[in-house]
């Protein structure tokens, strides 16, 4: 365990506690040509060395934890509770002589990999911030040179704590950007080609969104718990206002993504329902069309000594012709009833644009006819007047 204390101009302190990481798991030895006894002795010696190392490391860690408890008596309970905790936990308390306290554990995603989730333990008062973690990447990211001037300008420890929360949300934003890109590809694929197994991809995106929501809810809880603990002392700070706007923006994005995924699921359900109805309708139509042939085949295959036209020369031909005529008649009857729809006679081209194009063609033809009538009216009038003049001259003569 490594302890590091940072003191800032406003008087508050930040204690960084780096926990000891776990030893790597023992690898299985490769097969050896030596005797089994020597192999067992080697394995037992390795186990003894490992056990001694673990015991020494555990004793050292316990000693350091005891020293930390003696140094910070008010944090003793929090230190014991944080040992081995891998779940989110937020607690609000009021310690005599110190004031309101906010402590607990946040599970944060350190990189873009969803499985790379580490625990971040914190204990926060107005003048003191203690952070405890196992992953070394967390303090390196929080103590980056670009964030140090922001900590120097903070007046209280909670203000700096929410700057740290904003820094730890950077992988969250990049992860949401990647999620939005994958969701856009899913929507494009669904619009162009709606495959049968697309619902599995939709549910995969839904699980991704649940992962980000599970990480976001504890941070939202910390935000509310800070207002409960420190009140106006923190709500007026610039860092708290900025993190409030950021959390609102993330909350809006998560709700929007959830609405989009629910819409995709509803659309897939509707398309599956329409497909099922079309399949059942098609099967019903084909069943009805082939019903005469089924009945005729059943009757002709009966075990009777005498059947009509069984030994007639044209019996089979007459039966086939009759079945064909009856089938055609049934299809015409279904088509006139409008029950076939577009299942057996699909039209080429999209149906959505047929009506506007047809209306446009009618209006264009109407305008052409109108122009033609207007253009042809003048020569008809001139020819009519010339004929009238000739008739009047003939009458006079």
């Amino acid at each position: 365990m490594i302890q590091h204390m940072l003191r800032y101009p406003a008087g508050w302190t930040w204690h960084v506690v780096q926990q000891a990481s776990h030893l790597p798991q023992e690898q299985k030895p490769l097969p050896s040509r030596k005797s089994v006894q020597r192999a067992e002795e080697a394995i037992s010696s390795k186990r003894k060395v490992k056990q001694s190392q673990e015991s020494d490391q555990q004793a050292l860690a316990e000693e350091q934890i005891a020293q930390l408890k003696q140094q910070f008596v008010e944090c003793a309970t929090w230190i014991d509770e944080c040992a081995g905790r891998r779940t989110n936990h937020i607690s609000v308390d009021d310690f005599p002589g110190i004031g309101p306290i906010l402590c607990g554990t946040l599970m944060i995603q350190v990189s873009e990999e969803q499985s790379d989730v580490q625990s971040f333990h914190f204990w926060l008062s107005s003048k003191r911030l203690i952070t405890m973690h196992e992953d070394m990447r967390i303090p390196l990211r929080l103590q980056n040179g670009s964030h140090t001037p922001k900590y120097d300008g903070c007046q209280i420890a909670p203000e700096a704590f929410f700057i740290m929360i904003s820094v730890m949300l950077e992988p969250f934003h990049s992860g949401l950007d990647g999620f939005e890109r994958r969701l856009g590809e899913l929507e494009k694929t669904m619009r162009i080609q709606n495959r049968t197994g697309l619902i599995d991809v939709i549910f995969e995106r839904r699980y991704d969104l649940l992962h980000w929501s599970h990480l976001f809810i504890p941070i939202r809880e910390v935000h509310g718990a800070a207002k409960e603990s420190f009140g106006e002392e923190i709500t007026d700070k610039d860092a708290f206002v900025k993190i409030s706007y950021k959390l609102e923006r993330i909350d809006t994005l998560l709700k929007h993504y959830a609405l989009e995924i629910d819409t995709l699921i509803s659309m897939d359900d509707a398309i599956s329902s329409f497909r099922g109805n079309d399949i059942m309708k098609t099967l019903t139509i084909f069943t009805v069309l082939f019903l005469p042939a089924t009945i005729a085949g059943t009757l002709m295959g009966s075990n009777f000594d005498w059947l009509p036209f069984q030994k007639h020369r044209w019996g089979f031909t007459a039966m086939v012709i009759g079945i064909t005529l009856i089938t055609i008649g049934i299809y015409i009857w279904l088509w006139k009833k409008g029950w076939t729809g577009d299942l057996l006679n699909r039209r080429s081209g999209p149906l959505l644009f047929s009506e506007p194009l047809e209306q446009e063609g009618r209006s264009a033809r109407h305008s052409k006819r109108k122009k033609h009538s207007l253009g042809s009216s003048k020569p008809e009038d001139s020819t009519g007047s010339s004929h009238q003049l000739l008739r009047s001259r003939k009458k006079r003569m």
Side-chain angles (χ1 to χ4, degrees):
M1 183 179 292
I2 303 173
Q3 300 184 34
H4 185 60
M5 187 186 73
L6 299 174
R7 189 179 298 275
Y8 291 91
W12 63 276
T13 57
W14 178 21
H15 298 266
V16 183
V17 180
Q18 180 68 35
Q19 291 178 322
S21 59
H22 298 285
L23 291 174
Q25 294 182 356
E26 180 184 1
Q27 297 181 354
K28 294 183 179 180
L30 297 174
S32 177
R33 295 180 181 179
K34 297 180 180 181
S35 61
V36 179
Q37 185 177 1
R38 291 182 179 179
E40 291 178 354
E41 290 177 358
I43 293 173
S44 61
S45 62
K46 288 182 180 179
R47 287 179 180 175
K48 289 179 180 179
V49 171
K50 183 181 177 181
Q51 290 176 358
S52 63
Q53 290 178 355
E54 288 181 352
S55 60
D56 294 340
Q57 185 177 1
Q58 187 176 2
L60 181 61
E62 290 178 355
E63 183 180 356
Q64 291 175 348
I65 289 174
Q67 292 178 1
L68 188 64
K69 290 180 180 179
Q70 293 177 0
Q71 185 178 0
F72 306 105
V73 181
E74 63 275 9
C75 305
T77 306
W78 169 74
I79 294 172
D80 292 334
E81 291 177 352
C82 290
R85 178 187 288 167
R86 299 286 300 176
T87 56
N88 293 294
H89 180 76
I90 310 298
S91 178
V92 177
D93 199 357
D94 195 348
F95 198 85
I98 297 178
I101 293 173
L102 177 62
C103 60
T105 303
L106 286 176
M107 301 301 298
I108 59 174
Q109 184 169 323
V110 184
S111 63
E112 294 183 359
E113 295 292 333
Q114 292 188 4
S115 59
D116 191 7
V117 179
Q118 302 295 330
S119 57
F120 176 74
H121 311 287
F122 63 93
W123 188 94
L124 179 64
S125 66
S126 182
K127 293 296 181 180
R128 182 180 298 166
L129 171 62
I130 303 175
T131 60
M132 188 163 54
H133 29 68
E134 295 180 359
D135 199 323
M136 195 65 185
R137 292 173 294 175
I138 297 176
L140 291 177
R141 182 174 296 174
L142 295 178
Q143 297 178 17
N144 193 8
S146 60
H147 307 306
T148 304
K150 298 179 183 178
Y151 301 148
D152 293 335
C154 295
Q155 299 298 321
I156 55 176
E159 185 179 0
F161 175 73
F162 281 102
I163 294 177
M164 297 177 187
I165 294 293
S166 180
V167 172
M168 289 186 292
L169 284 176
E170 292 176 358
F172 198 95
H173 287 289
S174 60
L176 284 181
D177 292 338
F179 174 80
E180 185 177 0
R181 183 181 64 256
R182 293 191 297 270
L183 185 60
E185 293 174 356
L186 174 62
E187 293 175 354
K188 184 178 179 180
T189 304
M190 189 171 183
R191 183 177 69 251
I192 295 175
Q193 184 181 6
N194 188 11
R195 302 188 305 272
T196 306
L198 202 61
I199 189 64
D200 297 333
V201 185
I202 297 175
F203 278 111
E204 186 178 352
R205 298 287 85 80
R206 185 63 174 174
Y207 288 134
D208 292 342
L209 185 62
L210 288 176
H211 168 77
W212 294 113
S213 299
H214 182 70
L215 294 177
F216 176 72
I217 290 174
I219 297 177
R220 193 74 171 178
E221 185 181 358
V222 169
H223 181 265
K227 291 192 291 185
E228 178 185 352
S229 300
F230 304 104
E232 297 180 356
E233 187 180 7
I234 184 62
T235 54
D236 297 336
K237 301 299 180 181
D238 185 62
F240 188 83
V241 174
K242 287 183 178 180
I243 195 65
S244 300
Y245 291 147
K246 181 176 289 189
L247 294 181
E248 289 178 3
R249 179 161 56 94
I250 295 174
D251 191 17
T252 304
L253 287 175
L254 292 177
K255 290 180 180 178
H256 178 72
Y257 294 153
L259 182 61
E260 285 189 5
I261 293 177
D262 291 341
T263 304
L264 291 179
I265 294 175
S266 301
M267 291 173 63
D268 189 81
D269 290 341
I271 292 172
S272 300
S273 178
F274 283 126
R275 283 177 176 173
N277 293 335
D278 288 342
I279 291 171
M280 293 303 298
K281 189 176 181 181
T282 304
L283 293 176
T284 304
I285 291 172
F286 277 102
T287 303
V288 173
L289 289 178
F290 287 101
L291 184 62
T294 304
I295 295 174
T298 303
L299 294 177
M300 296 300 295
S302 302
N303 294 324
F304 290 102
D305 295 334
W306 182 86
L307 290 173
F309 304 103
Q310 183 180 9
K311 298 181 179 180
H312 197 275
R313 180 180 179 182
W314 300 100
F316 179 76
T317 305
M319 181 185 67
V320 172
I321 293 173
I323 291 173
T324 304
L325 293 176
I326 293 173
T327 303
I328 294 173
I330 291 175
Y331 174 74
I332 294 173
W333 179 68
L334 291 173
W335 178 71
K336 287 185 177 180
K337 287 286 187 179
W339 292 346
T340 58
D342 294 330
L343 297 175
L344 304 178
N345 51 352
R346 290 193 178 276
R347 299 177 182 178
S348 60
L351 297 177
L352 295 176
F353 301 100
S354 60
E355 187 175 353
L357 291 174
E358 192 175 347
Q359 292 179 357
E360 185 179 357
R362 289 176 182 175
S363 61
R365 289 196 297 269
H366 181 68
S367 61
K368 288 180 180 178
R369 288 176 183 176
K370 200 169 183 181
K371 290 179 180 179
H372 181 70
S373 63
L374 291 174
S376 62
S377 61
K378 292 181 180 180
E380 287 179 357
D381 293 341
S382 60
T383 54
S385 59
S386 61
H387 284 301
Q388 289 179 359
L389 289 173
L390 289 174
R391 289 175 183 175
S392 62
R393 287 179 182 178
K394 288 180 181 180
K395 288 180 180 181
R396 289 177 184 176
M397 292 175 66

